[in-house]
Coordinates of all heavy atoms in Angstrom, one line a residue:
G14 N 29.0 20.6 18.7 CA 28.6 19.2 18.8 C 28.2 18.8 20.2 O 28.0 19.6 21.0
L15 N 28.2 17.5 20.4 CA 27.8 16.9 21.7 C 29.1 16.4 22.4 O 29.9 15.7 21.8 CB 26.9 15.7 21.5 CG 26.5 14.9 22.7 CD1 25.7 15.8 23.7 CD2 25.7 13.7 22.3
V16 N 29.3 16.8 23.6 CA 30.4 16.5 24.4 C 30.0 16.2 25.9 O 29.0 16.8 26.3 CB 31.5 17.6 24.3 CG1 31.0 18.9 24.9 CG2 32.8 17.2 24.9
Q17 N 30.7 15.4 26.5 CA 30.5 15.1 27.9 C 31.0 16.2 28.8 O 32.0 16.9 28.4 CB 31.1 13.8 28.3 CG 30.3 12.6 27.8 CD 30.8 11.3 28.4 OE1 32.0 11.2 28.8 NE2 30.0 10.3 28.4
A18 N 30.4 16.4 30.0 CA 30.9 17.4 30.9 C 32.4 17.1 31.2 O 32.8 15.9 31.4 CB 30.1 17.3 32.2
G19 N 33.2 18.2 31.2 CA 34.6 18.1 31.4 C 35.4 18.0 30.1 O 36.6 18.2 30.2
G20 N 34.7 17.9 29.0 CA 35.4 17.8 27.7 C 35.7 19.1 27.1 O 35.4 20.2 27.8
S21 N 36.2 19.1 25.9 CA 36.6 20.3 25.2 C 36.0 20.3 23.8 O 35.8 19.3 23.2 CB 38.1 20.4 25.2 OG 38.7 20.5 26.4
L22 N 35.8 21.5 23.3 CA 35.5 21.8 21.9 C 36.2 23.0 21.4 O 36.5 23.9 22.3 CB 34.0 22.0 21.7 CG 33.1 20.7 21.7 CD1 31.6 21.2 21.7 CD2 33.4 19.8 20.6
R23 N 36.5 23.1 20.1 CA 37.0 24.3 19.6 C 36.1 24.8 18.5 O 35.9 24.0 17.5 CB 38.5 24.1 19.0 CG 39.1 25.5 18.6 CD 40.5 25.4 18.1 NE 40.6 24.9 16.7 CZ 41.6 25.1 15.9 NH1 42.6 25.9 16.4 NH2 41.6 24.7 14.7
L24 N 35.5 25.9 18.6 CA 34.7 26.5 17.6 C 35.5 27.4 16.7 O 36.4 28.0 17.1 CB 33.6 27.3 18.3 CG 32.7 26.7 19.3 CD1 31.6 27.6 19.8 CD2 32.1 25.4 18.8
S25 N 35.1 27.3 15.4 CA 35.8 28.2 14.4 C 34.7 29.1 13.8 O 33.6 28.8 13.7 CB 36.4 27.3 13.3 OG 37.4 26.5 13.9
C26 N 35.2 30.3 13.4 CA 34.4 31.3 12.7 C 35.1 31.7 11.5 O 36.1 32.5 11.7 CB 34.0 32.4 13.7 SG 33.2 33.8 12.9
A27 N 34.8 31.2 10.4 CA 35.5 31.5 9.1 C 34.8 32.7 8.4 O 33.5 32.7 8.3 CB 35.5 30.3 8.2
A28 N 35.6 33.6 7.9 CA 35.1 34.8 7.3 C 35.3 34.8 5.8 O 36.3 34.2 5.3 CB 35.7 36.0 7.9
S29 N 34.4 35.4 5.1 CA 34.6 35.6 3.7 C 34.0 37.0 3.3 O 33.2 37.5 4.0 CB 33.9 34.5 2.9 OG 32.5 34.5 3.1
G30 N 34.4 37.5 2.2 CA 33.9 38.8 1.7 C 34.8 39.9 2.1 O 34.9 40.9 1.4
R31 N 35.4 39.9 3.3 CA 36.3 40.9 3.8 C 37.3 40.2 4.7 O 37.1 39.2 5.2 CB 35.5 42.0 4.6 CG 34.6 42.9 3.7 CD 34.0 44.0 4.6 NE 33.1 44.8 3.8 CZ 33.4 45.9 3.2 NH1 34.7 46.3 3.2 NH2 32.5 46.6 2.5
T32 N 38.4 41.0 4.9 CA 39.4 40.4 5.8 C 39.1 40.7 7.2 O 38.7 41.8 7.5 CB 40.8 41.0 5.4 OG1 41.8 40.6 6.4 CG2 40.8 42.5 5.4
L33 N 39.3 39.7 8.1 CA 38.9 39.9 9.5 C 39.9 40.8 10.2 O 39.7 41.2 11.3 CB 38.9 38.6 10.2 CG 37.6 37.8 10.1 CD1 37.7 36.5 11.0 CD2 36.4 38.6 10.5
S34 N 41.0 41.1 9.6 CA 42.0 42.0 10.2 C 41.5 43.4 10.5 O 42.0 44.1 11.3 CB 43.3 42.1 9.4 OG 43.0 42.7 8.1
S35 N 40.4 43.8 9.9 CA 39.7 45.1 10.1 C 38.6 45.0 11.2 O 37.9 46.0 11.4 CB 39.1 45.6 8.8 OG 40.1 45.8 7.9
Y36 N 38.4 43.8 11.8 CA 37.3 43.6 12.6 C 37.7 43.2 14.1 O 38.6 42.4 14.3 CB 36.4 42.4 12.1 CG 35.6 42.8 10.9 CD1 36.2 42.9 9.6 CD2 34.2 43.1 11.0 CE1 35.5 43.3 8.5 CE2 33.5 43.5 9.9 CZ 34.1 43.6 8.6 OH 33.4 43.9 7.5
A37 N 37.0 43.8 15.0 CA 36.9 43.2 16.4 C 35.9 42.1 16.3 O 34.9 42.2 15.6 CB 36.5 44.3 17.4
M38 N 36.1 41.1 17.1 CA 35.3 39.9 17.1 C 34.7 39.5 18.4 O 35.3 39.9 19.5 CB 36.1 38.7 16.5 CG 36.6 38.9 15.1 SD 35.3 39.2 13.9 CE 34.5 37.6 13.9
G39 N 33.6 38.8 18.4 CA 33.0 38.4 19.6 C 32.3 37.0 19.5 O 32.0 36.6 18.3
W40 N 32.2 36.3 20.6 CA 31.4 35.1 20.6 C 30.2 35.3 21.6 O 30.5 35.9 22.7 CB 32.2 33.9 21.1 CG 33.1 33.3 20.0 CD1 34.4 33.6 19.8 CD2 32.8 32.4 19.0 NE1 34.9 32.9 18.8 CE2 33.9 32.2 18.2 CE3 31.6 31.7 18.7 CZ2 34.0 31.3 17.2 CZ3 31.6 30.8 17.6 CH2 32.8 30.6 16.9
F41 N 29.1 34.9 21.2 CA 27.9 35.0 22.1 C 27.2 33.6 22.1 O 27.5 32.8 21.2 CB 26.9 36.1 21.5 CG 27.5 37.5 21.6 CD1 28.4 37.9 20.6 CD2 27.1 38.3 22.6 CE1 28.9 39.2 20.7 CE2 27.6 39.6 22.7 CZ 28.5 40.0 21.8
R42 N 26.3 33.4 23.0 CA 25.6 32.2 23.0 C 24.1 32.4 23.5 O 23.8 33.4 24.2 CB 26.3 31.2 24.0 CG 26.3 31.5 25.4 CD 27.1 30.5 26.2 NE 27.2 30.9 27.6 CZ 28.0 30.2 28.5 NH1 28.8 29.2 28.1 NH2 28.0 30.6 29.8
Q43 N 23.3 31.5 23.1 CA 21.9 31.6 23.5 C 21.4 30.2 23.8 O 21.4 29.3 23.0 CB 21.0 32.2 22.4 CG 19.6 32.5 22.8 CD 18.9 33.4 21.8 OE1 19.3 33.6 20.7 NE2 17.8 34.0 22.3
A44 N 21.0 30.0 25.1 CA 20.4 28.8 25.5 C 18.9 28.8 25.3 O 18.3 29.9 25.3 CB 20.8 28.5 27.0
P45 N 18.2 27.7 25.3 CA 16.8 27.7 25.1 C 16.1 28.5 26.2 O 16.3 28.3 27.4 CB 16.4 26.2 25.2 CG 17.7 25.5 24.8 CD 18.8 26.3 25.3
G46 N 15.2 29.3 25.8 CA 14.4 30.1 26.7 C 15.1 31.3 27.3 O 14.6 31.9 28.2
K47 N 16.4 31.5 26.9 CA 17.2 32.6 27.5 C 17.6 33.6 26.4 O 17.6 33.3 25.2 CB 18.4 32.0 28.2 CG 18.1 31.1 29.4 CD 19.4 30.8 30.1 CE 19.1 29.9 31.3 NZ 20.3 29.6 32.1
E48 N 18.0 34.8 26.9 CA 18.4 35.8 25.9 C 19.9 35.5 25.5 O 20.6 34.8 26.2 CB 18.4 37.1 26.6 CG 17.0 37.6 26.9 CD 16.9 39.1 27.4 OE1 18.0 39.6 27.6 OE2 15.8 39.6 27.5
R49 N 20.2 36.0 24.4 CA 21.6 35.9 23.9 C 22.6 36.6 24.9 O 22.3 37.7 25.3 CB 21.8 36.5 22.5 CG 23.1 36.2 21.9 CD 23.1 36.7 20.4 NE 22.1 36.0 19.6 CZ 22.0 36.1 18.3 NH1 22.9 36.8 17.6 NH2 21.1 35.4 17.6
E50 N 23.6 35.9 25.2 CA 24.6 36.5 26.2 C 26.0 36.5 25.7 O 26.4 35.7 24.8 CB 24.5 35.7 27.5 CG 25.1 34.3 27.4 CD 25.3 33.7 28.8 OE1 25.3 34.4 29.8 OE2 25.5 32.4 28.8
F51 N 26.7 37.5 26.1 CA 28.1 37.6 25.8 C 29.0 36.5 26.4 O 28.8 36.1 27.5 CB 28.6 39.0 26.3 CG 30.1 39.1 26.2 CD1 30.8 39.4 25.0 CD2 30.9 39.1 27.4 CE1 32.1 39.5 25.0 CE2 32.2 39.2 27.4 CZ 32.9 39.5 26.2
V52 N 29.9 36.0 25.6 CA 30.9 35.0 26.0 C 32.3 35.5 26.0 O 33.0 35.5 27.1 CB 30.8 33.7 25.1 CG1 31.8 32.7 25.6 CG2 29.4 33.1 25.2
A53 N 32.8 36.0 24.9 CA 34.2 36.5 24.8 C 34.3 37.5 23.7 O 33.5 37.4 22.7 CB 35.1 35.3 24.5
A54 N 35.3 38.4 23.8 CA 35.5 39.4 22.8 C 37.0 39.5 22.6 O 37.8 39.3 23.5 CB 34.9 40.7 23.2
L55 N 37.4 39.9 21.4 CA 38.8 40.1 21.0 C 38.9 41.3 20.2 O 38.2 41.6 19.2 CB 39.1 38.8 20.1 CG 40.6 38.7 19.6 CD1 41.6 38.6 20.7 CD2 40.7 37.5 18.7
S56 N 39.9 42.1 20.5 CA 40.2 43.3 19.7 C 40.7 43.0 18.3 O 41.2 41.9 18.0 CB 41.2 44.2 20.5 OG 42.4 43.5 20.6
R57 N 40.6 44.0 17.5 CA 41.1 43.8 16.1 C 42.6 43.5 16.1 O 43.0 42.6 15.3 CB 40.9 45.1 15.3 CG 41.0 45.0 13.8 CD 41.1 46.3 13.2 NE 42.4 46.9 13.3 CZ 42.8 48.1 12.9 NH1 41.9 48.9 12.3 NH2 44.0 48.6 13.1
S58 N 43.3 44.0 17.0 CA 44.8 43.7 17.0 C 45.0 42.3 17.6 O 46.1 41.8 17.4 CB 45.5 44.8 17.9 OG 45.1 44.6 19.3
G59 N 44.1 41.8 18.3 CA 44.3 40.5 19.0 C 45.0 40.6 20.3 O 45.1 39.6 21.0

C-alpha cells in the first residue's frame, strides 16, 4: 500500500498447494526501471 516515510507495513505471503514447512523463503523487490533485487531470506527451519 501507500505509506508515509517513517511508517510501517507488514507484507504477507500465503501459500497453497503445498506446505511451506518444506520451503526456504525469500522476499525480493523491483523498483521501476531497476532489476529485481534481494531483500530478505529465511531458512526452512526459520
Side-chain angles (χ1 to χ4, degrees):
L15 174 64
V16 64
Q17 288 188 332
S21 299
L22 284 174
R23 188 177 80 155
L24 305 184
S25 299
C26 174
S29 62
R31 290 184 182 269
T32 174
L33 276 186
S34 62
S35 299
Y36 286 77
M38 300 298 295
W40 284 96
F41 295 79
R42 65 187 179 187
Q43 187 166 19
K47 295 187 177 181
E48 294 187 353
R49 188 172 298 189
E50 67 168 347
F51 167 73
V52 176
L55 178 66
S56 63
R57 194 193 78 183
S58 69

